[in-house]
Amino acid sequence: MQTTLRGVGVSHGVAIGEVRHMGTAVLEPPAKQIPAEEAEREQGRARQAVEAVAADLIARGNLAGGEAQHVLEAQAMMAQDPELMADVDRRIAVGSTAERGVYDAFASYRALLAGAGEYLAGRVADLDDVRNRIVARLLGVPMPGVPDSDEPYVLIARDLAPADTALLDPTLVLGFVTEEGGPTSHSAILARALGVPAVVALPGAGELAEGTVIAVDGSTGEIFVEPSAEKRAEMEASAAARKAALSASTGPGATSDGHKVPLLANVGGPGDVPAAVAAGAEGVGLFRTEFLFLDDSKQAPSEEKQIAAYRAVLEAFPEGRVVVRVLDAGADKPLAFLTPADEPNPALGVRGLRSLLDHPDVLRTQLTALAKAAEGLPVYLEVMAPMVADRADAKAFADACRAAGLQAKFGAMVEIPSAALRARSVLQEVEFLSLGTNDLAQYTFAADRQVGAVSRLQDPWQPALLDLVAMSADAAKAEGKSCGVCGEAASDPLLACVLTGLGVTSLSMGAASIPYVRSTLAKYTLAQCERAASAARAADSAEEARVAAQAVLSGE
């Protein structure tokens, strides 16, 4: 008998197939003592296992490319963290086996992160995966991971580590469902990059029996268990119609009455550019530059290395718009040479622009590199600062850009509610705003973007978040300046219409979402989008806002 479950849809599409569960996590190794004379040998075993796991993660990243490569390289750095390895050595020196030393050292670090208010919960999931891989290698047991199957299936997991998500085979993994995670988790971002339908934050997903047939709607978050023949036919027909609409939709983003809404791509480095170009991106709305700095957390990359990486992206969009975000370090992206190691709550501490203003040499080198990378190119370069709180922050960034000789527009990201509330003040110093809806939701609702338990508060349909978007867009319009969205909210086709109705002037998203958004925008007039936006803001919950907007656009 058909039953319906609901999680959070994070990657568009429909998947119908049998359930297969993720491999069982590594068991806790036994706590036995070793003689002192064996300590050196065990320490060597631990180091070898760590290096092997790090190498495997890097190899997986090289195969996957794009966003996944940056995530997996960060995981490899986590495995090789000197402080963690020193802790492992200390534990082995007093009698632990290699596997137990690794297990306990990682557990201690995990507890430290949890004690910081779970603000690094996304890193905790990655940390667990690294630990499991190292312990599995030391125990000589199979790595936890995606099940072996010759037939296509729907993957069910408590959560998916980046190393598993990055190399999913879309011909076998029709879609996936997780108990944890949220719309901005690593798994969700990588699912969208792969084009695999996905639903996260579904309580009890692990209780679905192996072999059960389910239908997954990655847009609505609905899961139909043992779907009827009618439901399967309905979903398959809907998926076919959507695919046909996507194929027919080309050209610049616009509403049906010709109101232009440039559709830009979020990229994490040169490796993401081909997909963006193939999807018809009109430029780059968010060029994350962290990938360069995560290669070596002990020192900033040279100016020459930065110039080469930036130019590779700028050259791909001749006469297009490329918006570069300067280094956003801190919180879940700590860098030894830049961010404090002992902050009690890193997400509310010295991160983003705050870190750069404390290290002006790092900011100056990056801005100079961007200026040189753009020399002689017809690209429209725009540079923005993350975590701008007020006009003083905006002025400090604009002054630094001018001092570096940067011939570009200077902008501010709106990720902190104060920046939205005082957007007109911020715009006295910069030329555009870009809404990072992921962090803006996190700070508006005090809800960590990686914690599944508070995922409803991370829903970009929350009316309070839409109010902040509207305030920012209104301020930009009043000042005659632009206001884009570069957070994951822009990748939701229905929400993209609402954002357009709120006055947002451009939308930036993962390349895989661009055809969906382009196709949906083209169905409606600007007036319809404005009415949908008003209806969504008048609602009292995210679900009510979504339903209200859909009703307006459907003509109900």
Side-chain angles (χ1 to χ4, degrees), residues 193-216:
L194 288 167
V196 176
V199 172
V200 301
L202 179 69
E207 297 172 14
L208 292 167
E210 190 89 1
T212 302
V213 175
I214 64 172
V216 178

Side-chain angles (χ1 to χ4, degrees), residues 166-345:
L167 295 183
L168 290 180
D169 182 350
T171 64
L172 285 177
V173 181
L174 303 173
F176 66 75
V177 180
T178 65
E179 291 195 42
E180 298 186 355
T184 59
S185 65
H186 280 155
S187 295
I189 292 170
L190 294 179
R192 286 189 284 272
L194 288 167
V196 176
V199 172
V200 301
L202 179 69
E207 297 172 14
L208 292 167
E210 190 89 1
T212 302
V213 175
I214 64 172
V216 178
D217 188 324
S219 299
T220 66
E222 291 176 304
I223 306 291
F224 301 95
V225 183
E226 299 292 0
S228 64
E230 291 79 11
K231 174 55 71 175
R232 293 179 68 152
E234 174 191 327
M235 294 183 73
E236 287 168 350
S238 175
R242 182 180 292 167
K243 185 175 181 180
L246 293 177
S247 300
S249 176
T250 58
T255 58
S256 63
D257 56 341
H259 175 72
K260 294 186 182 303
V261 187
L263 302 181
L264 312 172
N266 295 343
V267 303
D272 293 339
V273 168
V277 172
E282 298 169 60
V284 173
L286 172 61
F287 179 8
R288 304 181 183 94
T289 57
E290 290 75 42
F291 76 101
L292 276 168
F293 294 80
L294 291 172
D295 282 347
D296 183 353
S297 66
K298 297 180 181 61
Q299 62 181 4
S302 67
E303 181 180 302
E304 291 71 25
K305 182 176 181 180
Q306 292 189 54
I307 291 170
Y310 302 150
R311 195 169 181 91
V313 174
L314 296 176
E315 287 176 336
F317 295 94
E319 300 185 9
R321 178 186 179 201
V322 176
V323 184
V324 179
R325 180 179 71 190
V326 294
L327 175 63
D328 184 15
D332 64 342
K333 296 182 287 253
L335 294 172
F337 67 89
L338 195 68
T339 51
D342 56 352
E343 287 187 300
N345 195 336

Side-chain angles (χ1 to χ4, degrees), residues 461-464 467 533-548:
W461 281 94
Q462 286 284 357
D467 287 344
S534 295
R537 288 184 68 189
D540 291 320
S541 71
E543 183 57 29
E544 288 176 9
R546 186 183 289 106
V547 170

Side-chain angles (χ1 to χ4, degrees), residues 92-148:
I92 294 174
V94 295
S96 289
T97 61
E99 48 267 34
R100 188 70 206 192
V102 167
Y103 186 91
D104 288 342
F106 273 75
S108 177
Y109 190 43
R110 191 185 200 282
L112 182 66
L113 297 186
E118 290 282 1
Y119 270 91
L120 299 183
R123 287 297 186 196
V124 166
D126 295 354
L127 189 72
D128 287 347
D129 180 58
V130 172
R131 176 203 64 202
N132 289 348
R133 291 174 185 278
I134 297 171
V135 172
R137 183 171 289 275
L138 287 165
L139 291 174
V141 301
M143 291 284 178
V146 177
D148 289 328

